[in-house]
Amino acid sequence: MSGGRDAILGSIRRSLGRGPLSGDAAAALEAKLAAPPRGIIPRRVQLDPAALVDLFESKAKGVNATVTRVASADGVPDAVADYLAHENLPASLRMAPDRGLDDIPWSKRPTLTITRGPSDGSHEVGLTGVFAAVAETGTLMLASGPDSPTTLNFLPDSHIVVLRASQVVGPYEAGWDRVRATYGSGSMPRTVNFVTGPSRTGDIEQKIYLGAHGPRRLHIIVIEDGEAAPPAPDGA
Amino acid sequence: MQPTSRNFPQQSRDALADEKLQRAMGMMKVGFVEKRRAAAEGLPEFEALRDKARDIKNEVLANLDFYLERYADRVEAAGGHVHWCRTPEEARQAVLAICRRLDARTVTKGKSMIAEEIALNDFLEKNGIEPVETDLGEYIIQLRNEPPSHIIAPAVHVLKSQVEELFREKHTELDPNRVLDEPESLVAEARKMLRQRYFDADVGITGANFLIAETGSSVIVTNEGNGDLTQTLPKAHIVVASLEKIVPTLEDAAQILRVLARSATGQEFSSYTTVSTGPRRAEDPDGPGEYHVVLLDNGRSAMLGTEFQDMLRCIRCSACLNHCPVYAAVGGHAYGWVYPGPMGAVLTPTLIGIDKAGHLPNASTFCGRCESVCPMRIPLPKMMRHYREREYERHLSPPAARAGLGAWAFFARRPRLYRSVALLAARMLGMLGRGGAIRRLPLAGGWTAHRDLPAPAGRTFHDLWRAGER
């Protein structure tokens, strides 16, 4: 609808009292979009990698996620099976095709039934990896793609997430750095979900209840893989 | 919805007498204010981030044409479509055309104030398409057939007991003897009733909290996950958003997101903040096949360069509503249109005209709490005052108010006369006020009908000042 586009841009320019931007003015804005400057980074995330993992855990627990740490990928099957038993959930998972989950020795717990792929709503428990984890607010960054169907993040009643300590970053901006490094500047996956705790609503008399439409349980398993995250840039 | 802002005086009187509404608003008042305060105190950088957020938006508005063009280019590069709509009618038609082409019977909806502004639901229904609200608050008011009363908590005016009655009345396929005492069972019931609707929908419509020029992305901020199911499962995702939602970069969005949830509900971050760019990629296992952005002007471009430009910084957090004593007393429906509270008092006359909405900027004591909590530092009382000035100039204020102001101005320009008359009035009022208070005063019935006027206690301020008693 180019008529609408020209009319709206024209109306904006009339109100601002100028024509289209050009020359230095436009170049300066283009430069900013090509190399976005960082804004204010809260001091709370200016920590070393190990402390960031602690911050992530404490923030995630503060928003009703549960968190378990394991020393290596070997510990994950037990952690998952134990969690399901503890919550009285069936020992059955719908797992993302995420290659990052392949090196976990799932056969250690043969009673765990695992199928892989997106969810059609019939699964009680979904298990995914993450793209990154933001310590600042205990937030998971999940990026859509062949490895990570978006439906797995929202349809199953319980969402188990397996992440490595090296995937933990401090502020959201560090997460965006990783997105640009992975997808190229200006290019994005279809969806980046920032997930902070389980689904909730306060729509009935202002009290919070979990499990509105998304998962009512979010369980996070952190593999302490000992690889340092890239150092956080200065806050400036 | 047809504006009824002209009837604000009667609507607010009705609201004050509505016992259930008063109980509901009582709960709202305390919750939001305390939570916002705790969240602001929990982030040392909060005040600096408010300044930064204001500066980011001001820079966008000064270059809005540039950023919109870049944004649209990026959306199309990612495989999406932008529909530039000057008016609500163009926006409605753009949505309808997409739905018709896909032979849509039902559409699921995430919460969107723009969709309310263009009255999208009624329009879709008239055209044989069923809109299904998925946000729990929106779902409740859709069943009650009423508009939202708050910009982030649409059913804040509804009590739990009223929700229970409503669900029993409308969810007829469920066991009529089921127990619904606990609010959790109401939430679980809504979840169950809506789950299949997500799968059945042909099109999903959401709003956008931000549009990002750098990447052509739309951002939604929710807690329930309903917006995500709405946009992921159907054949097409339509974003309806107004022009001023643009921010330049992902970093800019992160800056403003840090103050958004904290100002709204006191959360550090909402449960689900989703950044979406274009339709499903060839290799994606799920996602919508089409991605459309219906970009609405409806008066925003005309606000640029005027004394109301600052209003375009609004991110719809609702902090101003939550702190406003007038909103807390009468609730959102009294304001008569889509946007209530202080931000509605400025935006409503801007969008529908001061002649239709003149009461709203007058429904304020200028206590200034709205401006003090606005994360974008919008000077709301100043803009309300601009509207009062415009009303006065256009002779739209009530004749009695004009006469009163005219009389006061006559005396105020003659200081000696003013002081003598004030002294006389103080002496007379002092005689009228037995026991320190005046219960009834001729010509001031509007005030003394509901309050006692403290009786003046002797000397005027000018007197005391002259006598050196500071």
Side-chain angles (χ1 to χ4, degrees), chain A residues 15-235:
Chain A
S15 295
L16 293 174
R18 59 157 173 78
L21 282 185
S22 59
D24 289 344
L29 298 184
E30 299 280 11
K32 183 172 79 162
L33 291 180
R38 245 173 175 57
I40 298 169
I41 306 294
R43 245 168 294 135
R44 73 158 78 150
V45 296
Q46 287 164 28
L47 298 172
D48 67 60
L52 279 180
V53 179
D54 290 339
L55 178 65
F56 172 81
E57 178 175 353
S58 111
K59 285 292 178 188
K61 285 174 166 165
V63 287
N64 312 101
T66 47
V67 183
T68 296
R69 296 212 209 187
V70 296
S72 72
D74 279 356
V76 173
D78 282 343
V80 172
D82 291 348
Y83 174 75
L84 294 174
H86 184 262
E87 296 292 313
N88 259 322
L89 291 168
S92 157
L93 296 175
R94 183 68 169 175
M95 191 181 302
D98 190 339
R99 272 154 296 170
L101 301 170
D102 287 351
D103 68 343
I104 294 170
W106 296 108
S107 54
K108 278 181 75 177
R109 294 298 286 255
T111 49
L112 267 178
T113 327
I114 299 172
T115 61
R116 300 186 81 162
S119 181
D120 58 3
S122 63
H123 309 101
E124 270 205 66
V125 185
L127 190 146
T128 71
V130 302
F131 177 83
V134 178
E136 184 177 338
T137 46
T139 298
L140 305 169
M141 260 180 102
L142 305 162
S144 65
D147 270 12
S148 45
T150 310
T151 44
L152 265 186
N153 305 335
F154 292 98
L155 287 172
D157 219 44
S158 302
H159 183 193
I160 302 177
V161 163
V162 177
L163 68 93
R164 291 161 201 279
S166 57
Q167 291 180 294
V168 177
V169 299
Y172 315 114
E173 287 81 351
W176 290 131
D177 288 343
R178 291 197 177 193
V179 168
R180 290 191 185 100
T182 306
Y183 295 89
S185 209
S187 193
M188 293 278 281
R190 182 188 70 81
T191 287
V192 176
N193 296 122
F194 289 89
V195 175
T196 312
S199 155
R200 71 198 63 220
T201 181
D203 274 335
I204 299 183
E205 289 186 358
Q206 310 303 295
K207 292 196 214 28
I208 303 296
Y209 299 104
L210 301 180
H213 295 281
R216 77 182 81 232
R217 283 182 209 84
L218 177 64
H219 185 63
I220 302 171
I221 299 172
V222 182
I223 303 174
E224 303 194 84
D225 60 357
E227 292 162 40
D234 288 339

Side-chain angles (χ1 to χ4, degrees), chain A residues 120-122 155 212-213, chain B residues 106-108 130 132-134 139 173 188-203 229-230 233-234:
Chain A
D120 58 3
S122 63
L155 287 172
H213 295 281
Chain B
T106 72
V107 312
T108 36
E130 186 196 352
V132 178
E133 292 289 351
T134 64
Y139 178 70
E173 57 263 60
E189 185 162 309
R191 179 194 177 100
K192 190 165 76 177
M193 297 303 287
L194 282 166
R195 187 45 74 102
Q196 187 56 40
R197 321 277 348 236
Y198 287 116
F199 288 103
D200 293 341
D202 305 292
V203 171
L229 290 174
T230 293
L233 296 173

Side-chain angles (χ1 to χ4, degrees), chain A residues 139 142 153-154 156 159 192-200 211-218, chain B residues 191 209 219-228 257 267 269-275:
Chain A
T139 298
L142 305 162
N153 305 335
F154 292 98
H159 183 193
V192 176
N193 296 122
F194 289 89
V195 175
T196 312
S199 155
R200 71 198 63 220
H213 295 281
R216 77 182 81 232
R217 283 182 209 84
L218 177 64
Chain B
R191 179 194 177 100
N209 293 78
V219 182
I220 58 169
V221 174
T222 73
N223 279 308
E224 298 181 16
N226 64 304
D228 296 277
L257 282 165
Q267 293 171 279
F269 221 59
S270 74
S271 299
Y272 302 109
T273 295
T274 296
V275 181

Side-chain angles (χ1 to χ4, degrees), chain B residues 120-131:
Chain B
L120 185 61
N121 283 1
D122 280 347
F123 179 75
L124 289 175
E125 278 166 3
K126 287 196 178 85
N127 283 279
I129 297 170
E130 186 196 352

Side-chain angles (χ1 to χ4, degrees), chain A residues 11 15 30 32 136 151 214, chain B residues 59 70 191 258 277 286 301:
Chain A
S11 176
S15 295
E30 299 280 11
K32 183 172 79 162
E136 184 177 338
T151 44
Chain B
E59 194 258 331
R70 282 300 161 280
R191 179 194 177 100
R258 285 186 172 97
T277 316
D286 50 27
S301 60

